[in-house]
Amino acid sequence: MGGVSREADATTPKDGPGRGRGRALRVLLGAASGLIAGFGALAAAELVSAAVRPGASPVTVVGGAAVDRTPPGLKDFAVRHFGTNDKAVLQLGIVVVLGLFAIAIGVIATRHRRIGATAALAFGAVGVAAAASRPDAQPTDVLPSAVGGVVAFALLYWLAGRAREPYGAATGRPAPASAHAPGSAAEPAPAAAGAAPGPDAGERISGGGPSGGGGGATGGTFDRRGFVVAATAAVAASAGAGALGRYLNADKAAQQAASRADITLPRPASPARPVPSGVHPDVEGLSSFFTSNKDFYRVDTALSVPHVDATSWRLRLHGKGVSRPVTLTFQDLLRRELVERDITLTCVSNEVGGPYVGNARWIGVRLADVLSEAGVKPPSHGGPADQLVARSVDGMTIGSPVETVMDGRDALLALGMNGEPLPFAHGFPVRMVVPGLYGYVSACKWLTDLELTTFDDFDAYWVKRTWSRKAPIKTESRIDTPRPFASPEAGTVPVAGVAWAQHKGIAKVEVRVDGGPWHEAKLGAQDTSDTWRQWVWPWQATSGRHTLEVRATDRTGYTQTDKRVGTVPNGATGRHSVVVSVP
Ligand SMILES: Nc1nc2c(c(=O)[nH]1)N[C@H]1C(S)=C(S)[C@@H](COP(=O)(O)O)O[C@H]1N2
Ligand SMILES: [Mo]
């Protein structure tokens, strides 16, 4: 361990390669200092976030701010290529960028201690700005990043004082000073290796210590032991703070999970119609009729899932044409007549053949009833508001047409999903679900506010990002089996999948092979017009490469177009096809 600078001194002449080695060592020590300062900053921020809220940690707020600013095409790209992992990829990217930045400012700090350390502060400022810019920003959200920035500054300043290079360049002096330095650096080394005074000697000779920085240092001696001790102390303290923060955050999450588990949803006054037998053709590889909560797709901007406490949760209903504004509690909703409905949810970012569609049994309160009781009338009955804006605790805004949510369909304030309270990731304690509308214009999770307004007066989150104001779900179909590039045996091969046209209902599904004639598939029984419908077609497969293609017709008589359009601005169209090769 003692060899680093000595080795360089012993084996190299006083210039040329020796300075190269010295420089390499300086870069290495600087990089280490920077990384340690960055780690310390994140650890301190984690601890502070436990006191504020987990969602206020720097990586989360910076990531959230990045999500807010991501152009729709790129967001779609991320969702498409990383799926629900897009957030993990983003956070990893942020940590990598942060690491590179930490290395850079660490290296700078070994030469220009104040500049490097101040850059660390600036980095904290980025976190502060990101935290303050989030739609759900609370004043205390800036604290984790602010404290992180200060910790990074202090650590870097301190470590850089101990990572002076083993020759004089820290002073900014030219080569001659450097050329002499190795000699002086070599002196404390044997002492350090031998007996107690090592660090002291080092400090004395380097003229360093926390007060000696900023280019005022002369001689520029590297105090190895001092650096190692300081670095070890910094890493240990950071690890401790980070672990404590993690523990406190995890503990809070466990309490929240327990409070959710304590909730028992009453039996619905209006249960879902029993699911007819035969909704699910028994074909291997076909999606299950109900999508389990754990398999249900998740699309949202939340890098840290909001954990809302149901007992303190409130839903405020107000705005244009609301003659009796109300604030409802979770208990208020539980005391109302609950309805249970099967509804298939779809994301506008689902490309043709994509996975962002799922079917669940929801329990909730009829939204139209709540609106009516507050005096709301749809535009067709003279109401002044044509847009219902739902706000979530994380600042999401989602606008739905008032006319649609009050037209008699089962638009819900949902409390339950597949027989349990909503999972946190799917909007606990209350979300909206509206059959027939894409999620981004209807399905607000972690709902906390409903405002009646107009489409002229307010653009919701995604609308500001070029998506359409209104977006009914487009009639679509998907082949689940065979999988792309499968090699089924020749003979009868069941081709099966799902088709959806929520609130219209599926009338027909057809399949064709290699652009030939369309064949009508056998439809699974229809649950309701708000759910997807499963289908199967027995294909007499012959050997060779084949393209299977599907199209659906809904109950309005519309047949799915073959015109391919992308997901932006209001949902993809086109037909799903799958290429297989039969041996
Ligand atoms: N608060 C909040 N609600 C939200 C979103 C969001 O980003 N934040 N995304 C919406 C979108 S785009 C969709 S498709 C659905 C997805 O719901 P799920 O994640 O439960 O499947 O939630 C909607 N509700
Ligand atoms: Mo979505």
Side-chain angles (χ1 to χ4, degrees):
M1 144 137 327
V4 184
S5 63
R6 205 174 356 157
E7 185 188 20
D9 302 333
T11 57
T12 55
K14 304 243 180 231
D15 54 23
R19 278 167 59 210
R21 290 267 190 124
R23 194 157 294 151
L25 178 60
R26 178 176 72 83
V27 167
L28 204 71
L29 294 173
S33 304
L35 286 175
I36 292 169
F39 175 59
L42 288 185
E46 178 78 18
L47 185 56
V48 176
S49 80
V52 177
R53 58 176 176 137
S57 82
V59 174
T60 304
V61 293
V62 170
V67 170
D68 290 344
R69 285 162 186 75
T70 304
L74 186 61
K75 174 230 160 202
D76 244 42
F77 171 87
V79 167
R80 188 146 55 240
H81 291 270
F82 306 123
T84 309
N85 296 328
D86 61 338
K87 296 187 180 69
V89 171
L90 174 64
Q91 279 168 310
L92 184 69
I94 290 169
V95 170
V96 168
V97 168
L98 202 140
L100 293 175
F101 182 82
I103 289 172
I105 64 174
V107 172
I108 292 171
T110 57
R111 212 179 258 279
H112 308 286
R113 198 175 172 196
R114 287 202 180 123
I115 296 175
T118 305
L121 262 189
F123 204 56
V126 170
V128 167
S133 81
R134 299 289 350 260
D136 59 333
Q138 295 161 20
T140 50
D141 287 356
V142 304
L143 287 176
S145 295
V147 170
V150 170
V151 165
F153 171 85
L155 278 181
L156 190 54
Y157 193 81
W158 187 46
L159 289 171
R162 278 158 174 71
R164 322 296 299 177
E165 52 194 314
Y167 63 103
T171 60
R173 284 188 201 159
S178 306
H180 291 341
S184 57
E187 274 153 30
D200 290 340
E203 290 219 338
R204 189 161 23 82
I205 293 168
S206 72
S211 57
T218 54
T221 295
F222 168 53
D223 164 14
R224 222 166 33 240
R225 182 179 287 187
F227 179 80
V228 170
V229 168
T232 308
V235 170
S238 302
L244 181 60
R246 280 272 149 115
Y247 169 78
L248 292 174
N249 277 329
D251 193 50
K252 203 184 282 175
Q255 284 171 27
Q256 290 157 335
S259 82
R260 173 182 171 274
D262 282 347
I263 295 171
T264 329
L265 295 178
R267 291 175 64 83
S270 166
R273 271 193 8 209
V275 177
S277 65
V279 289
H280 178 74
D282 190 14
V283 177
E284 203 184 307
L286 174 61
S287 303
S288 56
F289 181 71
F290 285 110
T291 315
S292 69
N293 290 353
K294 85 171 168 29
D295 292 334
F296 209 92
Y297 81 91
R298 180 184 156 207
V299 172
D300 57 55
T301 59
L303 287 171
S304 123
V305 171
H307 281 60
V308 179
D309 176 355
T311 54
S312 57
W313 175 87
R314 298 287 182 276
L315 174 64
R316 188 171 159 239
L317 172 60
H318 60 109
K320 284 196 176 75
V322 179
S323 49
R324 290 173 295 278
V326 282
T327 298
L328 299 166
T329 65
F330 193 69
Q331 280 304 320
D332 290 337
L333 293 185
L334 288 182
R335 276 193 289 267
R336 298 182 64 99
E337 176 180 298
L338 296 183
V339 302
E340 180 187 54
R341 296 292 181 265
D342 299 340
I343 300 167
T344 298
L345 207 63
T346 309
C347 181
V348 72
S349 291
N350 192 49
E351 60 176 335
V352 173
Y356 303 122
V357 52
N359 184 43
R361 173 159 287 191
W362 308 90
I363 290 182
V365 166
R366 235 189 279 272
L367 174 61
D369 293 352
V370 175
L371 294 175
S372 301
E373 286 168 29
V376 177
K377 291 192 175 66
S380 60
H381 288 66
D386 63 0
Q387 181 177 213
L388 174 67
V389 173
R391 280 193 179 74
S392 71
V393 299
D394 66 335
M396 174 53 62
T397 52
I398 285 182
S400 319
V402 176
E403 198 64 55
T404 307
V405 300
M406 297 186 83
D407 74 357
R409 71 185 72 200
D410 292 315
L412 301 181
L413 296 174
L415 323 168
M417 182 178 184
N418 290 326
E420 51 175 292
L422 291 178
F424 289 113
H426 295 286
F428 181 83
V430 180
R431 75 176 303 169
M432 273 180 49
V433 175
V434 183
L437 302 182
Y438 283 121
Y440 88 103
V441 287
S442 68
C444 189
K445 305 194 274 189
W446 314 295
L447 180 67
T448 188
D449 188 285
L450 287 173
E451 181 179 359
L452 277 296
T453 180
T454 63
F455 281 102
D456 283 345
D457 283 347
F458 184 78
D459 282 340
Y461 184 91
W462 298 109
V463 175
K464 290 196 185 94
R465 289 158 178 82
T466 78
W467 297 84
S468 300
R469 292 196 167 79
K470 299 182 184 179
I473 296 173
K474 296 177 181 177
T475 299
E476 276 290 328
S477 51
R478 183 181 78 193
I479 298 170
D480 284 352
T481 183
R483 307 290 302 163
F485 310 115
S487 322
E489 293 294 320
T492 306
V493 174
V495 179
V498 287
W500 58 90
Q502 288 94 322
H503 211 58
K504 296 175 182 146
I506 289 290
K508 185 163 78 176
V509 170
E510 296 160 292
V511 182
R512 67 176 177 180
V513 184
D514 301 327
W518 290 101
H519 304 279
E520 219 172 307
K522 183 176 180 312
L523 291 175
Q526 174 173 283
D527 181 4
T528 76
S529 68
D530 294 339
T531 55
W532 61 13
R533 200 157 176 190
Q534 308 201 305
W535 54 267
V536 59
W537 178 66
W539 173 37
Q540 298 309 318
T542 54
S543 79
R545 220 173 117 91
H546 299 289
T547 302
L548 302 164
E549 190 184 351
V550 64
R551 71 175 183 193
T553 300
D554 64 35
R555 291 202 163 160
T556 70
Y558 168 82
T559 298
Q560 203 186 317
T561 174
D562 67 345
K563 191 168 166 261
R564 284 217 157 238
V565 305
T567 55
V568 185
N570 53 28
T573 64
R575 294 184 192 138
H576 189 214
S577 61
V578 164
V579 175
V580 298
S581 48
V582 179

